[in-house]
Amino acid sequence: MDIIQVSNLKKSFGNQEVLRDVSFSVKKNEVVAVIGPSGSGKSTMLRSLVNLEQVNGGSIRVQDDYLVKDGVYAGNQEIKQITSRMGMVFQHFNLFPHLTVKENLEIAPRVVKGEASSDIRKMSAELLEKVGLSDKADAYPAKLSGGQKQRVAIARALMMNPQILLFDEPTSALDPELTGEVLQVIKQLAQEHMTMMVVTHEMGFAREVANQIMFMDKGEFVESGTPEQLFTNAKFERTKSFLHRALK
């Protein structure tokens, strides 16, 4: 079953066309890695799924509900309801510096969902354990490494019980030795069958964890397939050329 269905997505910034007729689908429990050169529109595409960017044309359907259909957006209440099914983890963590780790996790379910404090506290403790940061509950972000901050950001996204997790280059701001600890958490989520889209430059990770890899270049999806298909038998010269450079 397709949990996300995107068709003919178009987006321009002024005269610059960033997304050109982008179409794809994501199945429930699938991990999709989106690869491609910098500036190819990967982040814009991902942000459009949670309404952080508004598109100029095309459709985005999440489960049976249209966020945007043929360029026309749903009403505000419906948009909120649709986007609440998705969690987003950004490249630069976006943690609140004046809140502790635990407070960063607990603020959204309390303010947005109005959940009971006891439930929120229980869940935040469980998720910090899951990402290996139980001992950092009362620490402030300034005291954490980049890898720890990103693991907190993942736990924070999970606090809202999303059905889909979106990652926008989750390791690109990290030193290489910290990248592994973040990828390990994402791998664990993949093993638990969380539906995920991951924009990444980590080819080894994409090959190991993704069910489907999509290659994007110049605002277009050039081709997609299983890791085996794309890494060993890409159809298009643009894909082959990118992978040749990326795998050096």
Side-chain angles (χ1 to χ4, degrees), residues 1-12:
M1 177 190 119
D2 290 342
I3 196 165
I4 299 175
Q5 181 79 49
V6 170
S7 49
N8 308 114
L9 222 54
K10 298 178 182 71
K11 171 71 180 176
S12 297

Side-chain angles (χ1 to χ4, degrees), residues 29 31 130-131 151 154 158 165 167 170-171 179-196 198 200 202-211:
N29 306 133
V31 181
K130 185 188 190 80
V131 299
R151 285 186 280 153
I154 294 170
L158 290 169
L165 263 187
F167 293 86
T171 59
T179 294
E181 65 190 54
V182 173
L183 294 181
Q184 196 52 49
V185 172
I186 301 174
K187 284 177 192 175
Q188 185 185 341
L189 292 170
Q191 286 160 4
E192 293 166 6
H193 307 296
M194 169 64 84
T195 307
M196 295 186 281
V198 187
T200 184
E202 298 288 336
M203 295 300 125
F205 166 78
R207 190 172 205 157
E208 182 186 347
V209 178
N211 309 106

Side-chain angles (χ1 to χ4, degrees), residues 146-165:
Q148 289 169 334
K149 287 177 189 171
Q150 194 59 293
R151 285 186 280 153
V152 172
I154 294 170
R156 182 179 61 177
L158 290 169
M159 282 292 291
M160 299 297 280
N161 277 320
Q163 293 165 40
I164 303 153
L165 263 187

Side-chain angles (χ1 to χ4, degrees), residues 96-105 136-141 152:
F96 295 114
H98 63 293
L99 299 180
T100 65
V101 164
K102 188 170 63 172
E103 289 166 344
N104 262 284
L105 263 64
K136 301 293 184 186
D138 296 315
Y140 287 90
V152 172

Side-chain angles (χ1 to χ4, degrees), residues 33-36 203 206-207 212-216 222-236 239-240 242-244 247:
V34 186
I35 64 172
M203 295 300 125
R207 190 172 205 157
Q212 181 185 178
I213 297 181
M214 300 177 179
F215 171 62
M216 216 172 160
V222 180
E223 67 177 302
S224 66
T226 65
E228 184 67 20
Q229 287 167 336
L230 232 70
F231 281 103
T232 61
N233 197 23
K235 295 179 190 153
F236 294 96
T239 316
K240 289 176 186 171
F242 171 78
L243 288 172
H244 179 70
L247 294 168

